Amino acid sequence: MKDYSFLYFGTLGMTAMALAIVFFVLWASSALKKQKQQLEQRDRHYLARIEVIENLVKNEFKIITEHLKKMKL
């Protein structure tokens, strides 16, 4: 009878490496997903701040133009 223990250990090693690769892929994909969510949240925050500043500038421009129109009259 032949000794197949090296075959079992080889199969066990390959299975362990395959599981490690699967774990790494799952971990990496979840890390990338989390990073993408954080970047989207940051972008929404900055866009909201930009919109507030844009509205502020529009209001100030409107006030200045109205004031200048009053000065000409």
Side-chain angles (χ1 to χ4, degrees):
M1 186 161 200
K2 294 185 179 183
D3 185 20
Y4 290 111
S5 62
F6 68 92
L7 184 63
Y8 296 132
F9 289 125
T11 303
L12 183 64
M14 294 300 266
T15 304
M17 287 195 312
L19 288 174
I21 289 172
V22 168
F23 173 76
F24 175 74
V25 167
L26 292 175
W27 172 79
S29 63
S30 67
L32 289 174
K33 185 177 180 181
K34 183 178 178 182
Q35 182 183 19
K36 182 180 176 185
Q37 289 174 345
Q38 289 174 345
L39 289 175
E40 288 174 352
Q41 183 179 5
R42 183 200 67 186
D43 291 346
R44 284 192 302 268
H45 172 73
Y46 283 123
L47 285 174
R49 289 180 68 180
I50 289 170
E51 288 174 356
V52 167
I53 292 171
E54 181 182 4
N55 288 334
L56 223 125
V57 169
K58 284 181 182 178
N59 289 336
E60 290 295 322
F61 183 74
K62 186 177 178 182
I63 291 170
I64 290 170
T65 54
E66 288 175 1
H67 190 65
L68 289 174
K69 285 180 184 178
K70 287 180 184 178
M71 288 178 65
K72 287 185 179 181
L73 294 175

